[in-house]
Amino acid sequence: MLTFANLTEFSAHAGQSLGVTDYVVITQEMVDRFALATGDHQWIHTNPERAARESLYGTTIAHGFLTLSLAPRLMAELYRIESMKMGINYGANKIRFMNAVPVGSRLRMRATLLQAEPQGTSTRCTVECIFEVEGEPKPACIAELITLLF
């Protein structure tokens, strides 16, 4: 866990790694709850029996956006800014879903602070997040996420 006293100190870290998280196990319950929240009940996510028979993966897989939605949880493992009051999602420059995340697999995130620039009363930060499935050479997802930190 990296600890920064303030946004100025955090901004000076631009261009450097924020680290790699521990693995999190992707469960069918997580996938099913995500399907309930989003209304995306496609069988490749929610029907283990059919996925075992018909899917290229032999099992159900996590929604791509479920993978991406783990970013805040995983980011909290990597760093904290002592003087920060709050952060707000601002957007993304790029998101690519490059590999499936099978249910039961272990997923982690590798993050790099690409940019940190003052924007009014906040700092706009761009973080590259690479989501890796244990044992897979190709990442599940690569995203450049932008947040406003206050």
Side-chain angles (χ1 to χ4, degrees):
M1 163 82 67
L2 298 174
T3 301
F4 302 94
N6 53 48
L7 289 171
T8 301
E9 193 176 292
F10 181 67
S11 297
H13 197 75
Q16 298 179 62
S17 172
L18 292 169
V20 181
T21 68
D22 291 333
Y23 282 103
V24 65
V25 176
I26 304 302
T27 66
Q28 188 63 53
E29 181 182 6
M30 291 169 72
V31 172
D32 291 343
R33 286 176 175 236
F34 193 83
L36 283 172
T38 62
D40 181 353
H41 298 280
Q42 187 177 175
W43 65 267
I44 62 171
H45 305 302
T46 60
N47 189 327
E49 294 79 21
R50 184 173 177 189
R53 286 191 319 269
E54 299 178 34
S55 170
L56 299 172
Y57 309 105
T59 187
T60 48
I61 59 172
H63 304 75
F65 284 109
L66 168 57
T67 299
L68 185 62
S69 75
L70 293 173
R73 171 186 172 177
L74 296 173
M75 202 75 71
E77 289 184 23
L78 297 178
Y79 74 90
R80 69 185 192 84
I81 303 167
E82 291 174 335
S83 68
M84 191 176 89
K85 293 182 175 121
M86 67 178 183
I88 297 174
N89 292 325
Y90 187 81
N93 288 333
K94 174 175 71 169
I95 300 169
R96 299 290 182 268
F97 300 107
M98 303 166 58
N99 203 356
V101 179
V103 166
S105 64
R106 292 169 23 114
L107 183 77
R108 71 179 180 184
M109 187 181 75
R110 180 178 307 276
T112 301
L113 178 60
L114 298 179
Q115 290 182 300
E117 303 170 338
Q119 181 170 319
T121 59
S122 67
T123 299
R124 185 179 62 211
C125 301
T126 304
V127 176
E128 178 186 59
C129 301
I130 301 173
F131 296 87
E132 302 171 335
V133 177
E134 186 176 42
E136 289 291 323
K138 189 176 182 180
C141 175
I142 299 177
E144 287 183 13
L145 302 179
I146 308 166
T147 56
L148 295 178
L149 304 179
F150 295 84

